[in-house]
Amino acid sequence: MRHIISILIENEAGALSRVAGLFSARGYNIESLTVAPTEDPSLSRMTILTRGSDDVLEQITKQLNKLIDVVKVVDLSEAPHVERELMLIKVRATGKDREEMKRMADIFRGRIIDVTETAYVIELTGASSKLDSFIAALDAGLILETVRTGVCGVGRGDRILKV
Amino acid sequence: MISGAEIVIRCLQEEKVDCVFGYPGGSVLHIYDALFKQEQVKHILVRHEQAAVHAADAYSRSSQKVGVALVTSGPGVTNTVTGIATAYMDSIPMVVLCGQVPTQYIGQDAFQECDTVGITRPCVKHNFLVKDVKDLAVTIKKAFHIAATGRPGPVVVDIPKDITAQLCDFEYPKSIQMRSYNPVVKGHLGQIKKAVQMLQEAKRPIIYSGGGVILSDASDKLTQLAHKLDFPVTNTLMGLGGYPATDRQFVGMLGMHGTFEANNAMHYADVILAVGARFDDRVIGNPEHFGEEKRRVIHIDIDPSSISKRVKVDVPIVGNVADVLDEMLKLMDGSFKADPEVADWWKQIDEWRGRKSLAYRQSEHIMPQFVMEKLYEVTGGDAFVTSDVGQHQMFAAQYYKFDKPRRWINSGGLGTMGVGLPYGMGVLMANPGAQVACVTGEGSIQMCIQEMSTCKQYGFPIKIINLNNGMLGMVRQWQEMFYSKRYSQSYVTSLPDFVKLAEAYGHVGMKIEKPEDVEPALRKAFTEHKDDLVFMDFIIDPAANVFPMVAAGKGLTEMILAEEL
Ligand SMILES: Cc1ncc(C[n+]2csc(CCOP(=O)(O)OP(=O)(O)O)c2C)c(N)n1
Ligand SMILES: [Mg+2]
C-alpha cells in the first residue's frame, strides 16, 4: 500500500540524515522525500512517500516517533487529504513539435516557464499520477530532462499537523 | 566565566558523576586539564577506548546511575563504536563525551577528524555536535536526560576542541523540556484493566520478563505480582535476576538455550504476560512455528515500537514497567482469583521440569557447568557475574542462579566478545568492594585482555573464570551440529600461558585441570586472594556443548536436549 508520511521535525543539522538513515537501516523504502522549513523556522516538515504492509507502516511511524528530533508523525493517507507534486520537464521544441508541446502543456494545465530556440521548460503540478500521465503522453524521444519534487500533502479540513 | 572544558567537568559534577572511563588525546586536552584540577570526578584510564565504553556501560547496568566515557576524536571515537552499539542493543543509559577537531577544521580531513555524529548515529539513542559554547551545558544536560529516561540508551556528545577553550558563563539547567521528546510513563488504565481481566481468565498463563524489568527497577513489583498470581515465570537472558531464580515459580531462562519447561510453557501458554521483553529471534525461535498455537498476549513495554513488532499483541500497554506493574497490583488488590485450571497447568509444568534439561554428562575432565555450579556455591549466589560471549556465557546464564537484579552483566543484544573484563571494572566502580566474577573463554578474554593493566593500576580484584576449551566453542558447537564437523577456524592454537600472562601484569594466575581442584581453587581465589585479580584458567572438557538448544529456524519446542546422560 502507498502511504504518505508527514513529519514535523526540529530544524537541526543532521535531522534529515536521521530519518533517511532509519529508513535504510530498517529496510523501509522511500519513493520520494521532500523537506523544507515551516512557517516556524525552528521546525521542518518532511513528507515521505513509502510503500508497505500495515505492519510495516505501523513500525515506520513508531520508529520515526522514537527519533528524538521528531515532534510529530502522521500517515496522511489514512484519511482525506490533498497531495501535490511539482515537476519541471525540459522538452525539445523545434519544428512542428514546438506547437505540439505547447498544446500538450495546455491540456495538462502546465505552464511553459522557460523558452529557448530549441527547448521549453514546462512546469506541471498535480497528483503524482497526473505527472506520470503527462510523461507518458509525450514522445519519449523529445524529453530532455525531468525533475520532480516528490509528493507533499496536507490533511483536509480539521486535520492539522502543528505543534 | 569559565572555559568550555571546565563547563564539561562542572556538568559532570552537577550530574553527580563520580567517575568517568576514558583515554586522552589531542582534542580533549583542555578537558583533561580541567579534570586534573578537581577531585570530585575520578578518572579511570583504560588501555583501549572500547573498554572505556564497556566499563561505563557496566557501571550503568550494575547500578541505577548513568555511566560516562570520555575519548578523543578520530581513532578514539572509532574505537568506541563497538561499545556504543553494545549498550544500544541492550538499552543501557550512557553518555559518551568525544573530542572533535576545532570547529573551523571540521570537514577539512583534519588530523584525527572523523564524522562522529555520522558514524555513531545508527547505534545511539541520540547524538549531538556542540557548535557553540553557550549550548554546551544544556546539551550535556539533555544528553543525561535522554540517556536515562524513556527506553534508555547511549547518547554521544561531540565537542570540538575550540569550544572547550572558549569562555562562557556557567549555568546548569535544573530540568529540561523538549517538545520533541516526552516519553510515556504511566500505562493506559483501560488497557491495564483489560490485562487483569485476561489474566483472570488464563488457564495456562506465563509471565515472560526481560531486561526492561531490570532497567525499570521493577523486580520487586514483578515478584509481588507473580506471587499474587501464582503463575510460572520465565526470564530472557537480559532479564535474569529480574525474578529470583531460586523461587518455586521460576521455570528458568527461555529461548535458544532455555530450559525444557520454560520453552514449553511459553509455547503452550494461552495467555502470555510479557514484561519489558521484546520477543526477539533468540527467544521465540521460528515465528511461524511460534504462531501455530492460539494464545493471547499482554505486552508491557516503554517502547511502542517493541510492541507487535514480531508477535501480534492483544493488549498493548505502553509505559514504564514499574509504574504499570504498580497500577496492576493496585487493581488486583484482594479481588483477583485465578482460574482453577491453572493447577493442572502447574502439574504439566512439573512434568516438564522432570525432564531435567540442565543435567549434563559426567567426564574425567572439568565440565564447565560444574564450574558454574561451584562458582555459585562459593560466592553464595551473591556475586556480580560479568560474562563474555560464547558457550561460557550460556553456562553462566543457565547454572548461576541470579536472585537479584543487576547482578548478571552481559551483552545480550549485540553479543560482543570482549566485554567481560571491562564490564568487571565498571561494576567495581559502581559497587566498590563487591565480589565480581568474569566468566569468559580463551577466545573472548583476548579481545580486551589489555585491561588487566588497568585492573592493576586501580586494584580491581576481578576473578576471571576462564572456561578454556581451546576452541571458539560456540562456533565449534554449530559446526559440529550443522556443518558436519568441519571445524573451520574455530580451533584456537598458540594460546598464551594465561598464568604467566596474569603474572606479567602483576596479578595472580591459577591453572585448574582436575574436577576435584575446582572448588578449592575458587575458594582460595575468593578468600585468600579476595583483594587480588585472579586469572583462573580452567581447562575444561573441550567437547562440552550447550543444551537444550533450539537450532536456528526451529520452533521453541523443537529443542535438542543434552547428548548422553
Ligand atoms: C566480537 C565478536 N566476534 C565474533 C563473535 C562470534 N562468536 C560468538 S561466540 C564465539 C566463540 C567464543 O569463544 P570463547 O570466548 O572461547 O568462548 P566459548 O564459546 O569457547 O565458551 C564467537 C567467535 C562475537 N560474538 N563477537
Ligand atoms: Mg573457548
Side-chain angles (χ1 to χ4, degrees), chain A residues 10 13 17-18 21 26 40 42-43 55 58-59 62-63 66-71 163, chain B residues 88 117 121 125-127 131 146 151 178-181 303-309 312:
Chain A
E10 296 288 352
S17 60
R18 290 183 206 279
R26 294 194 181 262
D40 169 356
S42 71
L43 280 174
D55 288 350
E58 183 180 330
Q59 271 299 312
K62 283 173 168 179
Q63 295 293 349
K66 243 168 93 172
L67 293 178
I68 304 294
D69 284 339
V70 167
V71 185
V163 281
Chain B
Y88 180 66
V117 166
R121 196 190 58 235
K125 182 168 175 188
H126 198 57
N127 57 19
K131 290 191 179 138
I146 292 169
R151 179 176 181 171
M178 293 172 73
R179 62 180 169 186
S180 64
Y181 178 69
D303 178 2
S305 76
S306 283
I307 296 180
S308 288
K309 182 169 71 177
K312 261 272 167 264

Side-chain angles (χ1 to χ4, degrees), chain B residues 389-392 415 417 441-444 447 469 471-475:
Chain B
V389 173
Q391 292 183 316
H392 60 271
M417 288 170 70
E442 77 301 322
S444 295
M447 286 213 180
N469 49 12
M471 312 260 186
L472 301 176
M474 189 55 95
V475 173

Side-chain angles (χ1 to χ4, degrees), chain B residues 134-146:
Chain B
K134 290 200 278 303
D135 299 334
L136 186 53
V138 75
T139 304
I140 294 177
K141 176 77 193 178
K142 277 186 188 170
F144 277 91
H145 173 65
I146 292 169

Side-chain angles (χ1 to χ4, degrees), chain B residues 221-238:
Chain B
K221 293 194 173 109
L222 177 73
T223 309
Q224 237 180 302
L225 182 84
H227 284 165
K228 197 165 222 167
L229 294 166
D230 196 28
F231 290 172
V233 183
T234 180
N235 284 164
T236 66
L237 178 70
M238 291 311 296

Side-chain angles (χ1 to χ4, degrees), chain B residues 242-285:
Chain B
Y243 188 82
T246 54
D247 187 278
R248 184 187 62 84
Q249 286 166 243
F250 189 60
V251 294
M253 178 172 81
L254 85 168
M256 181 169 273
H257 294 297
T259 64
F260 188 70
E261 52 271 32
N263 284 348
N264 275 296
M266 181 76 170
H267 189 80
Y268 293 110
D270 69 341
V271 173
I272 294 176
L273 173 61
V275 191
R278 57 190 178 91
F279 293 94
D280 90 80
D281 52 293
R282 286 297 194 258
V283 162
I284 60 161

